[in-house]
Amino acid sequence: MNSWTFNKIAGAVLGTALLVFGLKGITGLIYQTHPASHEKPGFAIEVAEAAGEAAAGGGEAEAPKSIGALLAAADATKGAAEAKACAACHDFTKGGPNKTGPGLWDVVERKIASHEGYAYSEGATAKAAETWTYDNLNAFIANPKGFVAGTKMAFGGIKNDAKRANLIAYLASLSDAPKPFPAP
Ligand code: HEC
């Protein structure tokens, strides 16, 4: 074999090796950065919900419906199923205990950050002069951090209007004297 042929073969071997190691390097990068996406499961849920909403809304999502209109079409029984996502942190029974979050019995029209024996975040306490109106609950449950800056409620929010309205209708039912829904 003359040295020219040897050079060609050596070049081919080297090239292949570089390609293989290059690919391995790229794959390694992908798999190294991948686990980071698991740190925010709330984000993944949000994206899925937003996608579902867009599909269901058929492009009419721009004009937000009033909470009155949403509640008029809401189903508290379905909301009870939605509330399982909250039950890890909230008790719903009358006189029930505070858990990670405050008890939510009779929360509609209750003063914000007022449940006895619960240590609220500064953001929540700053809103203590306000009330959990249907509108405020709607805003908070859609986007907790957007409504209460620095809230310690670690929950991404329910973006889907119908699901959120069902849930609020369920919350409203947790009362000895449920507050009437606002007009649509
Ligand atoms: C991971 C735990 C967690 C989950 C899940 C959770 N919450 Fe909360 N929630 C909290 C915490 C903690 C607070 C107190 C927030 C603060 O002090 O900023 C709170 C506060 C609230 C408040 C304000 C109550 C008050 O007395 O001012 C409402 C209303 C509420 N949550 C509703 C819900 C609903 C509805 C769901 C389910 C869709 C839910 N939360 C899911 C932890 C949670």
Side-chain angles (χ1 to χ4, degrees):
M1 170 191 322
N2 63 31
S3 69
W4 175 232
T5 312
F6 176 81
N7 276 347
K8 273 204 285 193
I9 293 168
V13 169
L14 192 64
T16 309
L18 279 176
L19 190 70
V20 168
F21 285 112
L23 279 177
K24 271 180 111 175
I26 291 165
T27 317
L29 271 179
I30 291 167
Y31 282 97
Q32 260 167 29
T33 50
H34 187 65
S37 66
H38 291 301
E39 283 165 19
K40 291 183 180 172
F43 180 68
I45 290 163
E46 231 171 73
V47 169
E49 292 230 344
E53 199 175 10
E60 291 164 24
E62 287 88 6
K65 285 194 184 142
S66 75
I67 182 63
L70 289 173
L71 285 171
D75 180 341
T77 313
K78 285 186 185 161
E82 289 296 327
K84 294 202 172 104
C86 328
C89 299
H90 291 287
D91 187 278
F92 292 110
T93 59
K94 187 175 183 178
N98 293 317
K99 294 162 75 178
T100 305
L104 288 183
W105 170 263
D106 209 10
V107 73
V108 178
E109 300 295 345
R110 186 165 95 189
K111 280 262 186 282
I112 292 178
S114 67
H115 199 257
E116 213 182 314
Y118 187 80
Y120 289 89
S121 67
E122 271 181 37
T125 315
K127 282 188 172 277
E130 290 179 55
T131 305
W132 283 121
T133 60
Y134 285 111
D135 254 334
N136 284 343
L137 279 170
N138 189 37
F140 181 62
I141 296 169
N143 180 7
K145 286 190 164 51
F147 184 77
V148 174
T151 181
K152 57 180 185 172
M153 172 152 138
F155 183 77
I158 298 179
K159 308 298 174 205
N160 183 288
D161 283 350
K163 287 184 180 175
R164 200 172 60 251
N166 290 344
L167 177 61
I168 295 171
Y170 171 68
L171 290 179
S173 75
L174 306 174
S175 172
D176 289 331
K179 315 297 180 296
F181 293 157

